[in-house]
Amino acid sequence: MENVQKNIHTDEMINKIPVRLLKNKIYKGLFLLAALFTFILLVVLLARIFSQGASHLSWDFLQNFASRRPEQAGIKAAVIGTLWMMAVVVPVSLLLGVGTAVYLEEYAGKNRMTRFIQMNISNLAGVPSVVFGLLGLTLFVRVLFLGNSILAAGLTMSLLILPVIIVASQEAIRAVPKELREAAYGLGATKWQMILRVVLPSAIAGILTGSILAFSRAIGETAPLVVIGIPAFVAFLPKSVFDSFTALPMQIYNWTSRPQEEFHFLAAAGIIVLLVILILMNSVAVWIRNRYENKY
């Protein structure tokens, strides 16, 4: 009797195989179409940008300041301003983000308050960027009287990407094997020595992966800069973090809002420059990540 039931069950499984294979092919085709659709959109976008902006890339375009005349306009102030802003964003967001992740994972107790903080950090990762712009306007521009300076913009952008860095850092720290921690304690290391010499080096690859994505978002955001009043037309270079400045997203936004078609071509050229800066910045971060990944 048992053999008969096993044979019946086996026959049912064999009869279902063609249906399962068909479903597998259908889902595989759907996923392939989704990937192709995304890839085609990206190719079309890049082709349009390069077809409009490549001819306007020149040394004069990189050396000139913004101008009301398209043939004389450049992005020197915007590029330097963007680099100044990221010089504030990178250290501030990394120190606060990784520090918060280390505290939540290694020091904070697993209680209701910790879960509440964790839940709010995760929710902040999905808040629209304009909300962080309003926070920066209230706190940094008006309360701290920083005005539309590099420091105000950098701190605002740091708040924008902090949740992403915190969550990514926590996941990377959790992935460090427990045995490494116990081995460090067994050799007489203190908790801070264990974190500094074992946990962070082992988690640096995951931390930098999330940070790369966060920095890419910060360098391309426009809404927070508009809210805190960063000017779109600047014809000078900043000398300190307290000076006014403009950034590439603001310059591109200004050019795209102009009715003249020549400014739209300049905006496309500015997007190409922004993409190059992103690629260079990400390449350095990937190199650092791979170096530590191979070492640990």
Side-chain angles (χ1 to χ4, degrees):
M1 186 67 180
E2 292 180 359
N3 293 333
V4 173
Q5 291 179 349
K6 289 181 179 179
N7 291 333
I8 294 174
H9 182 69
T10 303
D11 292 338
E12 291 178 353
M13 294 294 294
I14 293 174
N15 293 333
K16 291 180 180 180
I17 289 177
V19 178
R20 292 181 176 180
L21 292 176
L22 178 61
K23 288 182 179 180
N24 180 64
K25 291 181 180 179
I26 292 174
Y27 286 121
K28 181 180 179 181
L30 290 176
F31 296 146
L32 178 61
L33 287 176
L36 286 175
F37 179 74
T38 305
F39 178 74
I40 290 172
L41 284 180
L42 178 62
V43 170
V44 171
L45 177 62
L46 291 176
R48 179 175 176 82
I49 290 172
F50 278 90
S51 63
Q52 291 184 346
S55 60
H56 289 75
L57 288 175
S58 65
W59 185 249
D60 290 336
F61 179 72
L62 297 176
Q63 284 291 309
N64 293 343
F65 290 101
S67 174
R68 300 182 186 276
R69 299 178 181 179
E71 63 275 7
Q72 297 178 357
I75 57 170
K76 182 178 181 179
V79 171
I80 300 301
T82 299
L83 296 178
W84 268 95
M85 183 182 72
M86 293 308 298
V88 174
V89 172
V90 171
V92 170
S93 58
L94 272 182
L95 288 174
L96 293 179
V98 177
T100 302
V102 168
Y103 175 77
L104 291 175
E105 290 300 318
E106 300 294 337
Y107 290 101
K110 306 302 179 183
N111 50 40
R112 185 176 299 178
M113 179 58 68
T114 304
R115 291 193 296 269
F116 176 76
I117 295 174
Q118 184 66 57
M119 179 186 67
N120 281 276
I121 291 174
S122 301
N123 291 335
L124 284 174
V127 172
S129 59
V130 67
V131 177
F132 288 96
L134 292 172
L135 176 61
L137 176 66
T138 303
L139 179 60
F140 303 126
V141 176
R142 295 181 177 174
V143 175
L144 299 180
F145 302 103
L146 294 178
N148 54 0
S149 63
I150 294 172
L151 186 58
L155 293 176
T156 302
M157 289 299 186
S158 298
L159 291 179
L160 173 66
I161 64 176
L162 261 181
V164 178
I165 295 179
I166 292 173
V167 173
S169 301
Q170 284 186 274
E171 294 296 331
I173 292 172
R174 289 194 198 115
V176 177
K178 184 179 180 182
E179 290 77 10
L180 293 180
R181 295 177 168 87
E182 294 175 348
Y185 285 136
L187 293 173
T190 63
K191 190 175 187 64
W192 171 240
Q193 288 175 329
M194 180 270 295
I195 293 172
L196 183 63
R197 299 181 182 181
V198 176
V199 175
L200 289 180
S202 301
I204 193 67
I207 292 172
L208 284 180
T209 300
S211 300
I212 290 169
L213 298 175
F215 297 150
S216 300
R217 182 185 180 187
I219 200 173
E221 281 285 353
T222 308
L225 300 179
V226 173
V227 173
I228 65 177
I230 300 301
F233 187 92
V234 171
F236 59 87
L237 297 179
K239 296 181 180 179
S240 72
V241 293
F242 299 102
D243 291 343
S244 180
F245 80 112
T246 191
L248 270 173
M250 288 298 302
Q251 189 66 71
I252 294 169
Y253 171 75
N254 180 45
W255 281 337
T256 54
S257 64
R258 297 288 187 91
Q260 297 94 331
E261 189 178 19
E262 291 80 3
F263 282 111
H264 297 172
F265 295 153
L266 292 177
I271 292 173
I272 295 174
V273 174
L274 182 59
L275 288 174
V276 172
I277 294 175
L278 273 173
I279 292 173
L280 291 176
M281 184 179 68
N282 291 352
S283 298
V284 173
V286 168
W287 176 78
I288 297 174
R289 184 192 66 186
N290 292 338
R291 180 183 178 184
Y292 278 93
E293 196 172 36
N294 295 330
K295 186 175 181 180
Y296 295 94

